[in-house]
Amino acid sequence: MQDAMATSGLSLEALYTSFTCGSLRLANRFVMSPMTRDMSPGNLLNPEAPAYYARRAAGGCALVVTEGTAIPHPVAHATSTIPNFYGDSLAGWQETARAVHANGGAIFAQLWHTGLYRSREETLNPQMPSIAPSAIGEAPVRVMTEEDIADVIDAYATAAANARSIGFDGIEIHGAHGYLPDQFFWPPTNKRADRYGGPIENRVRFAVEMVAEIRRRTAPDFPIMFRFSQWKGLKFDAKVARDPTELEAWLCPLADAGVDIFDASTRRFWVPEFEGSDMNLAGWAKRVTGKASMTVGSVGLESPLHVGKVSESNGVEVSTENLSRLVQMFERGDFDLVALGRIILSNPDWPTLVRQERFDAIRPYDPAIVAARLECAAA
Ligand SMILES: Cc1cc2nc3c(=O)[nH]c(=O)nc-3n(C[C@H](O)[C@H](O)[C@H](O)COP(=O)(O)O)c2cc1C
C-alpha cells in the first residue's frame, strides 16, 4: 500500500500551497477537523488544550478547528465535559490561540448547540428541558419560540465575537450531524408550520439569521465556516438535498448571509454525492455556491468513522492509497481544504510525515490512545 504511493510518482505538493480567505492566511491546505474529546470537567477547558492543539499546528496542520464548544446558552451542552466558549474557559482558549499561532497555525472555534441531542443525566442544567425546532423523541423538549430563536442566535454571535476578541482567526458553526441548526434543516426533526418550517427556504432561515448576526457582530473579513452534512446521528443514509438543485436552495442562502467556507462533512471523501457525476459533497458545495469548500472523511485511513463512544470504536489501519485520489480531486478544483480527523489524533505530525514521504512512520488510529489524556493523544 505504501509502495503504491511511493511508486505512483504522484506528488502531493499541490496540497502544500497557501490559501487565503478574508483575513485568513494558511500555509497549506490541511486542517485539523473538529473533534470532541469530552475531557473538560465542569465545562471548563482542560489545561492541556493549548499544548494538544499547538502540537497539531507544529505537525503541519495550517488550520486547527477546535472540538465542539458550547455557546453561552443554558441547554447547549452535550455533556458536562464539553468546554464552554464563554466565561472562565475563555482564558484557556486565548492561551490556546497563542500557542497555535506560535507554532505557525491558525485556529477556528467550533460553535455548538446540541438541541435535541443533549445528555439528560450528565449535563449543565439537567432540570431544564432541551430546546428544539419540534418536540421529537421521548425526552422532555420545549419547542423553540421566536424568542428562543433570538436568544440562541445571540448566544452564537456572542461566542463568535468572543472568539475574535481573544485572537481566534475565525469560527465554524456546527450545522451538521443532526445538531440544532441541522434539526431545522432536516424535515423529520422540523415539523414547524411557521416561517422556520416547511420549504427549505424556511428551514434554512434560523441558520441564515445566525450567520448574518455573526457577520454583524464580528467583521466583514472575519472568516465564517459552516459545517453541514447529509447524514444525521446514526442515520447515515439521511438526505437533506437529493440533487444539486436542492443543495443550491439549502446552501446559497447561507453563502449570501456571510458563510465563506463550507465544511462538507462526509465519512469517505471519495464517494460521489449525486448520480451522473463523481464529484463529492464538498465539490458540489463549491460548485453551487461559488464559495470555498473543505472535504473530510477517511483521509489516510482504511475505514470510515463509526459514531458512538470513542472507547467502543475500533482501531483503523493507515491507508496512503486514497491520497492519490485526494490530490486528483483537489487539482481539478473540487475543494480548497482537506480536514483530517482520526489520523491527526494518532499522528499529530501527519502532514509533515506525508510531505517527507515517511509513510512507514504513520501510526494507525487507536481509540485507546484517544481515550487517554488530552495532550497525550498519540504521544
Ligand atoms: C473522537 C471524535 C470526535 C468528534 N467530534 C466532533 C465534533 O465535536 N464536531 C464535529 O463536527 N465533528 C466531530 N467529529 C467528526 C470529525 O470531525 C470528522 O468529520 C470525522 O472523524 C471524519 O474524519 P476522519 O475519517 O478523518 O476521522 C469527531 C470525530 C471523532 C473521531
Side-chain angles (χ1 to χ4, degrees), residues 27-206:
N28 67 46
R29 308 306 180 108
F30 290 111
V31 177
M32 179 178 182
S33 206
M35 278 175 285
T36 290
R37 300 303 309 278
D38 260 325
M39 289 187 188
S40 293
N43 305 115
L44 185 65
L45 182 65
N46 188 316
E48 293 184 328
Y52 161 72
Y53 286 114
R55 240 173 117 201
R56 272 76 195 169
C61 279
L63 174 63
V64 164
V65 182
T66 69
E67 61 206 284
T69 70
I71 60 168
H73 187 268
V75 291
H77 307 67
T79 68
S80 56
T81 47
I82 299 299
N84 289 333
F85 207 86
Y86 59 91
D88 291 346
S89 288
L90 283 182
W93 284 124
Q94 184 166 34
E95 195 190 328
T96 303
R98 281 199 201 109
V100 167
H101 291 156
N103 284 279
I107 184 165
F108 283 15
Q110 192 188 47
L111 306 183
W112 194 19
H113 193 302
T114 55
L116 284 173
Y117 301 122
R118 180 169 159 251
S119 157
R120 301 279 313 146
E121 300 81 40
E122 271 183 75
T123 192
L124 195 64
N125 300 318
Q127 77 290 356
M128 294 174 79
S130 302
I131 58 163
S134 304
I136 309 283
E138 280 145 35
V141 174
R142 203 181 73 242
V143 173
M144 289 170 80
T145 60
E146 293 226 356
E147 200 182 340
D148 288 319
I149 289 175
D151 285 350
V152 174
I153 287 174
D154 181 63
Y156 276 103
T158 301
N162 283 343
R164 181 164 174 261
S165 69
I166 62 169
F168 273 60
D169 303 281
I171 56 97
E172 174 170 88
I173 297 162
H174 194 345
H177 309 169
Y179 294 109
L180 187 61
D182 208 16
Q183 288 159 27
F184 278 87
F185 297 147
W186 196 42
T189 46
N190 183 345
K191 307 283 184 196
R192 300 176 77 97
D194 64 357
R195 64 198 185 100
Y196 295 95
I200 185 66
E201 59 268 31
N202 284 355
R203 285 182 277 125
V204 81
R205 193 182 309 278
F206 167 66

Side-chain angles (χ1 to χ4, degrees), residues 20 28 63 74 131 136 158 189 228 231 241 250 256 265 269 278 341 343 356 376:
T20 302
N28 67 46
L63 174 63
I131 58 163
I136 309 283
T158 301
T189 46
F228 74 103
W231 65 274
W250 180 14
D256 292 344
S265 176
F269 75 84
D278 66 353
I343 198 78
Q356 296 170 346
C376 104

Side-chain angles (χ1 to χ4, degrees), residues 174-332:
H174 194 345
H177 309 169
Y179 294 109
L180 187 61
D182 208 16
Q183 288 159 27
F184 278 87
F185 297 147
W186 196 42
T189 46
N190 183 345
K191 307 283 184 196
R192 300 176 77 97
D194 64 357
R195 64 198 185 100
Y196 295 95
I200 185 66
E201 59 268 31
N202 284 355
R203 285 182 277 125
V204 81
R205 193 182 309 278
F206 167 66
V208 163
E209 290 177 351
M210 174 205 305
V211 171
E213 184 62 6
I214 289 174
R215 175 63 68 218
R216 197 181 70 77
R217 301 256 298 269
T218 55
D221 62 351
F222 185 69
I224 299 177
M225 180 145 73
F226 195 96
R227 178 164 255 213
F228 74 103
S229 65
Q230 299 266 35
W231 65 274
K232 322 287 162 211
L234 290 172
K235 221 172 151 23
F236 293 130
D237 59 352
K239 294 250 179 259
V240 175
R242 287 160 299 181
D243 57 40
T245 309
E246 290 187 356
L247 188 70
E248 193 175 336
W250 180 14
L251 301 187
C252 284
L254 293 165
D256 292 344
V259 170
D260 299 297
I261 307 169
F262 285 95
D263 171 1
S265 176
T266 52
R267 295 163 62 239
R268 298 177 196 85
F269 75 84
W270 58 88
V271 174
E273 189 56 39
F274 302 122
E275 265 178 37
S277 161
D278 66 353
M279 221 157 49
N280 72 3
L281 189 61
W284 281 108
K286 187 170 174 175
R287 166 88 56 94
V288 301
T289 63
K291 298 288 180 183
S293 77
M294 178 158 83
T295 198
V296 67
S298 305
V299 173
L301 288 170
E302 286 272 339
S303 51
L305 175 73
H306 288 273
V307 177
K309 284 194 174 155
V310 167
S311 54
E312 291 164 12
S313 62
N314 297 327
V316 178
E317 289 303 318
V318 170
S319 164
T320 48
E321 268 173 14
N322 69 36
L323 302 184
S324 312
R325 181 76 186 127
L326 182 76
V327 79
Q328 275 168 5
M329 293 168 77
F330 175 76
E331 283 190 321
R332 74 179 186 187

